[in-house]
Amino acid sequence: MAGGGPVKRAASPKPISPPPNRRKVDSTVKKTVATSFFTPASKKKPEPITWRIVNNTLIVGKFSPELSQERKASDKPRIAAFDFDSTLVSTASGNRFPRNAADWKWWNQGARSKLQKLNADGYHVTIISNQKAISLKKDKKGDDSKSLTNFKERVSAVMKELDIPLSVYAATEDDEYRKPRIGMWREFFDDYDLDVTGIDADASIFVGDAAGRPTDHSSVDRGFAANASIPFKTPEEFFLNAPPEPVVESFDPSVYLESDSTDDALPPFSRKSPLELVIFCGSPSAGKSTFYWDYLKPLDYERVNQDILKTRPKCIKVAKEHLAAGKSVVVDNTNADVDTRSQWVNVAKEANVPIRCIYFSAPPEVCKHNNAVRAANISLNPESRTSLPGIAFGDFSRRFAEPTLSEGFQDIIRVDFRFRGDEEARNIWNQYWI
C-alpha cells in the first residue's frame, strides 16, 4: 500500500549473544628479564661467564659464580690445569668429535667432585686446550661460527655444573698459543697476575691425554707440562689412580744442544782449493743456511739459494757467473737425489773446478722442530722464513738418497746437527714446539 511510511523490520526470533569476554594475553617477557631491563646498568649483576678473543686466534672464557666456595689460602698459588676433550669430558654419543653442543659427558664420574675439591683446597683451576677445528670467522649474518657457538655452549655447561671459579683457554691456530707451546700459559699468568706472585710449581699439575703413549695421537700435553715446568699426569693417573703407562721414546731437544766443551773445537769446514763448488745436501730446516753464514760466508763463498732465485736454471746460471768471476760458490739447496746433484757435478766439470758435498744428517723430528722454532721466534729467524708445511719434509724423505763419492765429489763432509746459541736462544730451542 503506497504512501504508508517506512516499514519496521521484524524482530529476530533468535536471542542476541552478549559481547565476548576480553581474553587475557600473557606476556612472553619474564618478570626477571623485565626487571633487568629497567635496572640501571650500574646496579645490574655481571654475567657469570665472559668471553674474549686474543690476537684473533685465542679463545678465553671466564666463569665467576655468584656464590663461590671460599678457598684455602696458600703462600704461593697452586695451579690445577686440564686439557678439555678426552680429559675432563668425552662425547655422550661415542663419536670422536661432538655432534653438537649437548654431546658431552664427564670423562669420569668423579671428575666434577675432584675439581670442586681442588678449588676448595685453594687451587686455581683452569682448562688449556687445543681447538684447531674451531673457526673464528663470522658467518654471513655477522654471527659466531657454528663451531665456536657449540664450543662456548659445551664449555659453559661444564662451568655451570662445576660452579667454581674457572677459566678456559683454547688455541685455534698453529701459533704461539698452541700446545706444547706455552702462549696460553703466559696468558693465564697475565690474567691472574701470577707472573708477579709466582706459583708453587711442584704442587701444581697439568692433566692431559696427549701423553706420548703408544695409542696417543701425540705427546703435546706432556711437552706442555715440561715447558711450563710443572708435574704431568694422564687422566687415568689423576682420576683413576692408575699407574703410569709406558711412553714411546720421543724427541728430546736437549740431546741436540751443543755442549760448551765444543766451543774450542776446530771449525767443521775449511777451504781446499782456491776456487771450488760446494753443494749442500739435507732436509729443509736441517741447519744448512745457518752453517753457511757461520762457516762459509766468512771464507767469502758466494751463496746460491733456490728459495731466493726461485728456479734451478736460475741457480745454475748465477753459480756459473760467480765461478767465471773467480768466486767459490755454495749451493744452499736440499739437493736430495742423485739426479739433482749430477747437474751440479756437470757445472763443476764445465768450470774445471772441484766439487765438494756437505751432508746435513739431521733426522726429520729435528728438522720439524727447527721449522717450528724458527717460525715462532723472530730472534732465531733472521731471514724471516715462514713455517713450512709437513709435505715439504715428506717430499724430501721420499726423494732422498745419501750422497756418495762415486757421484764425483772430491769429499763429503757429514754435519750432525747441534744447536748453537746464547743462553736465551738455547732456552727457547730446548722447549717442546711440536
Side-chain angles (χ1 to χ4, degrees):
M1 202 169 154
V7 180
K8 293 183 178 180
R9 188 179 63 179
S12 171
K14 297 180 181 179
I16 299 175
S17 299
N21 292 329
R22 176 174 291 180
R23 290 183 300 163
K24 181 179 180 182
V25 180
D26 292 327
S27 171
T28 59
V29 180
K30 294 182 179 180
K31 184 176 180 181
T32 55
V33 174
T35 302
S36 176
F37 180 80
F38 291 106
T39 302
S42 61
K43 294 185 178 181
K44 288 183 179 179
K45 294 179 180 178
E47 290 293 323
I49 302 177
T50 59
W51 297 96
R52 75 180 197 274
I53 304 297
V54 178
N55 292 335
N56 300 315
T57 67
L58 176 65
I59 305 167
V60 180
K62 188 175 182 180
F63 179 72
S64 303
E66 185 175 345
L67 297 174
S68 59
Q69 185 177 357
E70 186 175 349
R71 293 186 300 184
K72 295 179 182 177
S74 59
D75 293 336
K76 277 192 173 182
R78 294 169 295 167
I79 313 301
F82 297 84
D83 184 34
F84 188 57
D85 296 296
S86 301
T87 295
L88 289 184
V89 300
S90 57
T91 61
S93 64
N95 283 10
R96 181 182 177 187
F97 300 106
R99 293 176 176 175
N100 50 49
D103 186 14
W104 75 275
K105 65 179 181 179
W106 291 107
W107 183 86
N108 173 263
Q109 292 181 349
R112 179 173 175 266
S113 60
K114 190 148 189 176
L115 266 65
Q116 289 172 332
K117 186 176 187 307
L118 285 168
N119 173 72
D121 288 344
Y123 280 82
H124 289 263
V125 182
T126 188
I127 296 170
I128 295 177
S129 175
N130 288 344
Q131 295 287 337
K132 201 171 183 180
I134 296 177
S135 171
L136 297 187
K137 293 181 179 179
K138 300 289 186 180
D139 63 18
K140 293 180 180 179
K141 296 180 181 179
D143 297 326
D144 286 345
S145 68
K146 185 176 180 180
S147 58
L148 177 57
T149 299
N150 285 346
F151 176 75
K152 285 182 176 180
E153 291 180 1
R154 206 158 51 105
V155 172
S156 296
V158 170
M159 287 175 159
K160 289 174 182 176
E161 278 210 20
L162 285 172
D163 199 33
I164 61 174
L166 182 67
S167 54
V168 59
Y169 298 82
T172 64
E173 297 289 345
D174 187 10
D175 57 11
E176 64 182 300
Y177 298 113
R178 186 169 180 81
K179 293 181 296 184
R181 303 161 202 176
I182 55 175
M184 288 191 281
W185 187 247
R186 291 194 182 105
E187 192 69 24
F188 168 63
F189 266 50
D190 187 59
D191 286 346
Y192 292 89
D193 293 328
L194 299 175
D195 50 342
V196 177
T197 64
I199 67 168
D200 186 342
D202 292 337
S204 298
I205 187 75
F206 181 72
V207 181
D209 67 301
R213 296 166 293 182
T215 57
D216 291 342
H217 60 86
S218 75
S219 59
V220 297
D221 287 333
R222 189 181 294 275
F224 173 84
N227 287 345
S229 300
I230 59 175
F232 172 79
K233 286 189 177 183
T234 64
E236 291 82 0
E237 293 165 13
F238 187 78
F239 292 115
L240 307 179
N241 294 318
E245 298 179 52
V247 176
V248 177
E249 186 175 349
S250 60
F251 169 68
D252 180 1
S254 66
V255 172
Y256 296 91
L257 287 174
E258 184 176 69
S259 64
D260 294 336
S261 61
T262 63
D263 289 347
D264 296 328
L266 293 174
F269 179 87
S270 60
R271 183 190 292 271
K272 282 193 172 183
S273 304
L275 186 64
E276 57 188 17
L277 176 61
V278 177
I279 72 167
F280 289 168
C281 172
S283 168
S285 302
K288 301 184 298 297
S289 296
T290 299
F291 190 89
Y292 167 77
W293 292 112
D294 286 348
Y295 299 112
L296 283 95
K297 176 62 176 175
L299 299 177
D300 294 326
Y301 284 76
E302 296 293 337
R303 178 186 181 220
V304 171
N305 178 264
Q306 194 164 317
D307 290 339
I308 298 172
L309 297 176
K310 303 306 180 186
T311 67
R312 188 180 301 146
K314 184 69 179 292
C315 289
I316 291 174
K317 177 178 180 293
V318 172
K320 287 180 176 180
E321 291 171 352
H322 285 315
L323 290 171
K327 298 177 179 178
S328 293
V329 174
V330 173
V331 182
D332 180 8
N333 298 334
T334 60
N335 297 312
D337 54 80
V338 175
D339 288 343
T340 301
R341 296 192 291 265
S342 68
Q343 296 185 46
W344 292 109
V345 172
N346 291 334
V347 170
K349 288 179 180 178
E350 183 180 322
N352 196 28
V353 299
I355 182 169
R356 307 170 66 188
C357 178
I358 301 179
Y359 166 44
F360 295 84
S361 64
E365 58 268 23
V366 171
C367 299
K368 293 174 183 178
H369 180 84
N370 277 337
N371 178 53
V373 174
R374 182 174 64 189
N377 295 276
I378 297 175
S379 62
L380 299 180
N381 191 6
E383 296 184 87
S384 301
R385 300 198 182 187
T386 57
S387 180
L388 296 171
I391 192 173
F393 303 99
D395 179 67
F396 175 83
S397 297
R398 179 180 57 81
R399 296 187 297 113
F400 174 68
E402 187 171 330
T404 63
L405 291 175
S406 62
E407 295 176 47
F409 300 117
Q410 183 185 63
D411 63 352
I412 297 174
I413 300 170
R414 179 185 174 113
V415 176
D416 296 326
F417 182 86
R418 290 292 182 270
F419 181 80
R420 300 169 66 244
D422 59 24
E423 184 177 359
E424 181 181 358
R426 288 164 64 90
N427 288 339
I428 292 172
W429 199 88
N430 196 34
Q431 294 179 16
Y432 292 90
W433 290 89
I434 54 175

